[in-house]
Amino acid sequence: MKPLKRNLNIAELLKKKSFFLFGPRSTGKSTLIRQSFVSSDSFLIDLLDGRVHLKLSSNPAALEELVDLHKSKIIIIDEVQKIPELLNEVHRLIEKKKVRFLLTGSSARKLRHGGANLLAGRAWEAQLFPLVWKELKKFNLEKMLQFGGLPQVYLSQDPKEELSAYVNTYLREEIRAEGLVKKFPQFSRFLKVAALSNGQLVNYSMIASDAAVPASTVREYFSILNDTLIGFNLEPWRESKKRKAIETAKFYFFDTGVTHTLAGTDYLDRNSDLYGRSFEQWIGMELRAYLSYRRIKKELLFWRSINGQEVDFVIGDSHAIEVKASQKISRKHLSGLIALREEGVHKNFYCVSHDPIESKAKGITCLHWKTFISRLWADALVS
């Protein structure tokens, strides 16, 4: 099978600066590195290799010996969070020898909470996400919504088994190995409750009650999910004046398939609310990946007024996007966009759905999801 071409051109980015490359496990960071630097002057230091890990953890200064020995233009340190102390040496070598580094990791927790040297702007940050529409020649929406976009899952003949193995690996390797939680049964309960409330406003008290853990513990667990890149908070757009906006964030897992596996979803009914939430989550993942890969420095947000008007996704102060799984769009589906348009801030309003008829009324453009996604990745919507 021909390797997939990813939309993140990490080799091009490294011409400008050293980079941190973060992404959840199995999004394809190692494969991307092999493809990007197959014929270039680079050297890989794999901290999952026990011998390498032992040498550098006991003597971080030995990194300079490796750099001098291989004399490569680019030094790649895979899973850098395994030895945060290495970043002091990276910092020094960037300054002293102008070495260009690519530092990859599937968890930022030790780096952000352990006082690690984050290089003070000497390295920028990029992320690798699950597969997006642009990377798949034969895209299957139903498969994506049910099983998600992890390469080993989407391309598998048995995606359900792959997802089950992935979730177990996450619990074992990312959580147990890092010593992030002390009580696994209650963390497992929390994961299921969090997955069931995916894409909804975060209610710590309610989740704590359902998972039978203290609210303070729930907050810490959400912090772990964010730091290990398994999920992220979608913050609200708070600048509306005519209708007061809520202040509470939503939480999304990074992949629809992982969400369903954690929630125990066996089947995704096309006519269910769960299908609509999964469709919304997928559009959000595409938007998030697009903004990151194109290096567009605009926040992905959502908007909801205290009276209940809502728009699923807002890109900075420029775009507002409502997502509906409906086959036919009517005025009732546009109420949130109409309300937000009255604020007079955003310039572009879209309703994305399964309705095949493209239309525009009251400044709102209604597009079938295929049209929207193809125009998005063709750079015809956001810039």
Side-chain angles (χ1 to χ4, degrees):
M1 181 183 296
K2 187 177 180 180
L4 294 171
K5 183 179 180 181
R6 305 304 299 269
N7 261 259
L8 177 62
N9 191 337
I10 193 64
E12 188 65 26
L13 292 177
L14 279 166
K15 292 178 181 179
K16 304 175 183 178
K17 197 94 169 179
S18 291
F19 263 85
F20 287 102
L21 173 60
F22 291 119
R25 282 191 179 274
S26 297
T27 46
K29 296 187 296 297
S30 296
T31 301
L32 177 64
I33 289 170
R34 288 196 301 270
Q35 293 174 350
S36 300
F37 303 103
V38 64
S39 60
S40 68
D41 184 9
S42 63
F43 174 63
L44 173 65
I45 299 171
D46 184 1
L47 296 185
L48 293 178
D49 184 318
R51 294 166 300 178
V52 175
H53 185 277
L54 179 61
K55 178 179 180 178
L56 291 176
S57 60
S58 61
N59 181 21
L63 177 63
E64 185 170 6
E65 298 174 13
L66 292 174
V67 169
D68 290 341
L69 176 64
H70 293 277
K71 300 184 184 303
S72 299
K73 292 182 179 178
I74 297 173
I75 303 297
I76 303 164
I77 304 180
D78 201 11
E79 299 295 338
V80 69
Q81 80 275 359
K82 298 291 183 183
I83 311 178
E85 296 79 10
L86 274 182
L87 291 175
N88 291 324
E89 293 301 309
V90 169
H91 187 159
R92 187 173 65 84
L93 291 170
I94 290 175
E95 292 289 298
K96 178 183 177 182
K97 300 189 174 183
K98 309 303 179 185
V99 179
R100 196 67 53 87
F101 283 91
L102 176 60
L103 309 160
T104 81
S106 56
S107 171
R109 190 169 181 82
K110 281 189 175 180
L111 302 182
R112 290 171 179 161
H113 293 264
N117 183 343
L118 295 181
L119 308 183
R122 290 167 180 81
W124 295 343
E125 183 177 323
Q127 291 193 57
L128 187 64
F129 300 93
L131 297 171
V132 296
W133 175 87
K134 179 72 171 177
E135 296 165 340
L136 293 163
K137 290 185 177 180
K138 294 182 179 180
F139 181 81
N140 184 322
L141 178 63
E142 307 306 316
K143 185 175 185 179
M144 179 63 74
L145 297 189
Q146 175 73 62
F147 299 113
L150 289 171
Q152 70 189 52
V153 174
Y154 188 88
L155 302 175
S156 171
Q157 296 300 311
D158 197 344
K160 190 173 183 178
E161 285 293 336
E162 288 285 356
L163 273 170
S164 178
Y166 180 87
V167 168
N168 289 331
T169 297
Y170 164 67
L171 287 170
R172 182 174 64 253
E173 294 187 9
E174 290 290 353
I175 302 302
R176 191 184 299 274
E178 298 290 338
L180 297 180
V181 299
K182 296 179 180 179
K183 298 179 181 180
F184 276 87
Q186 71 178 32
F187 184 68
S188 295
R189 292 198 303 271
F190 158 77
L191 282 176
K192 181 168 186 177
V193 175
L196 290 170
S197 61
N198 178 72
Q200 300 177 27
L201 298 178
V202 178
N203 186 322
Y204 293 105
S205 297
M206 184 176 296
I207 293 173
S209 176
D210 291 344
V213 296
S216 59
T217 302
V218 168
R219 289 180 181 273
E220 177 63 15
Y221 285 171
F222 272 117
S223 176
I224 289 171
L225 294 182
N226 275 280
D227 289 341
T228 56
L229 312 178
I230 295 299
F232 68 98
N233 288 334
L234 187 70
E235 297 294 333
W237 185 73
R238 300 179 173 91
E239 306 305 317
S240 55
K241 306 298 182 184
K242 295 184 177 181
R243 296 174 175 82
K244 183 176 175 59
I246 62 163
E247 298 286 330
T248 306
K250 293 181 179 182
F251 178 84
Y252 283 93
F253 283 90
F254 80 103
D255 179 77
T256 55
V258 170
T259 306
H260 292 315
T261 301
L262 290 171
T265 304
D266 291 322
Y267 174 69
L268 194 59
D269 185 347
R270 174 63 184 84
N271 298 312
S272 67
D273 289 339
L274 181 58
Y275 182 95
R277 293 200 299 272
S278 297
F279 182 56
E280 173 191 312
Q281 181 183 2
W282 172 67
I283 292 291
M285 301 304 99
E286 292 281 322
L287 292 170
R288 186 174 180 235
Y290 176 81
L291 293 174
S292 179
Y293 290 165
R294 294 294 195 264
R295 312 297 294 174
I296 296 174
K297 304 302 181 181
K298 294 181 179 180
E299 281 190 280
L300 183 64
L301 309 164
F302 78 99
W303 176 72
R304 180 184 287 186
S305 74
I306 59 174
N307 296 322
Q309 294 101 338
E310 182 173 2
V311 175
D312 293 321
F313 300 107
V314 172
I315 300 175
D317 291 336
S318 60
H319 293 70
I321 300 131
E322 180 68 11
V323 182
K324 299 294 182 184
S326 304
Q327 303 278 1
K328 186 175 177 58
I329 292 300
S330 63
R331 183 181 173 82
K332 69 178 182 180
H333 296 117
L334 308 179
S335 59
L337 289 168
I338 292 171
L340 183 58
R341 188 169 180 266
E342 292 174 0
E343 295 291 331
V345 175
H346 299 85
K347 302 295 188 294
N348 305 282
F349 297 83
Y350 295 96
C351 180
V352 183
S353 73
H354 287 257
D355 191 332
I357 300 175
E358 180 175 341
S359 63
K360 186 168 185 177
K362 296 185 178 296
I364 299 169
T365 302
C366 297
L367 297 174
H368 187 272
W369 67 265
K370 287 183 181 179
T371 304
F372 177 83
I373 291 296
S374 62
R375 290 183 186 175
L376 176 72
W377 287 104
D379 304 319
L381 293 181
V382 183
S383 60

